[in-house]
Amino acid sequence: MSAQNLLPGQTIIVTGAATGIGQAFALGAAIQGAHVIVADMNSADETMDQIAQAGGKATSVRVDVSDDASVRSMAEAALKATGRIDGLINNAAYFREIRLTAFEDLDPEQWERIFQVNVKGVWLCSKAVMPAMRERQSGSIINIASVVAVAGQPGYLHYVATKGAVLAMTKGLAKECGKDGVRCNVIAPGFVITDATRNRPVEWQQSFLKARAISREQRPDDLVGTALYLLSDLAAFVSGQTIVVDGGHIMY
Ligand SMILES: NC(=O)c1ccc[n+]([C@@H]2O[C@H](COP(=O)([O-])OP(=O)(O)OC[C@H]3O[C@@H](n4cnc5c(N)ncnc54)[C@H](O)[C@@H]3O)[C@@H](O)[C@H]2O)c1
């Protein structure tokens, strides 16, 4: 892919960008002319290499999205590198660690941790970028939820609850931040093949495939166009919305 120009000169932070869906968002934004802050708790060398090979610009930042000081350092690093923050994709999540478990058997400690990362993390990152967005009276925040928050899903009640919270939180944020020119929206992916999901039960994966209008595997790239749209001025009057990108499984 060659460099294009949907996000010229913008600075976009993508959390959880070391791998999977976040990596695809980071590369997609860089190809569209953004300087991407590749934020993750783990090494993001692979993402940085991909962006460099595509001729894009990026800065790698280590962050734990559940830690206020760490998140504030991430925003400071973005401002130090580029002087602005135009977009934030809250993609990092406690996700690959979860296993199908009846709700009565869930581990209370895991319940606490998943809310720390998936809910508190979205709040912390959103508040860390707000001063820079408010100053420019412009910004786009995209929160990554899941179809499980819309459709329900047995075996992951803590995860489902966090993604439901992300949907509701985005609506509240959108109402609160509109006066500052900041838009907040949700992308709800279907079952996407990443390192986090590759080992989920095959029959379970097959059931998703069969239920789709477009009956094929969903890949991280399938989500990138929607994110670029929501980051860009094409979506200048779109806020508080949830866009389900799942090949036509859930229709509502
Ligand atoms: N893969 C799917 O089927 C699917 C479906 C619906 C929604 N989602 C959502 O999409 C997002 C990405 O999923 P994925 O499949 O790419 O997962 P993944 O596990 O491959 O990627 C998640 C990334 O987040 C990082 N991360 C985790 N905790 C962090 C923390 N506290 N601070 C900073 N970084 C942290 C991880 O290091 C990893 O790089 C998640 O929000 C997930 O809930 C995924």
Side-chain angles (χ1 to χ4, degrees), residues 15-23 25 39-43 62-67 70 90-97 113 116-118 144-148 159 162-163 187-197 200 204 218 220 223:
T15 69
T19 183
I21 294 169
Q23 184 174 72
F25 286 147
D40 204 291
M41 66 193 300
N42 291 319
S43 162
R62 288 284 183 121
V63 67
D64 175 355
V65 298
S66 68
D67 181 89
S70 174
N90 279 311
N91 167 81
Y94 188 102
F95 174 55
R96 74 171 57 196
E97 296 86 349
R113 183 64 190 151
Q116 292 277 319
V117 178
N118 296 10
I144 306 306
S146 169
V147 284
V148 301
Y159 178 73
T162 63
K163 293 303 187 178
I187 297 176
F191 181 84
V192 184
I193 301 296
T194 66
D195 289 347
T197 58
R200 301 276 151 98
W204 200 62
Q218 182 170 5
L223 297 156

Side-chain angles (χ1 to χ4, degrees), residues 150-188:
V150 181
Q153 173 71 46
Y156 298 116
L157 192 66
H158 50 359
Y159 178 73
V160 174
T162 63
K163 293 303 187 178
V166 169
L167 294 191
M169 188 163 50
T170 304
K171 293 177 188 178
L173 260 181
K175 292 274 187 189
E176 204 163 332
C177 300
K179 64 180 183 326
D180 295 315
V182 177
R183 298 177 291 105
C184 307
N185 292 285
V186 169
I187 297 176

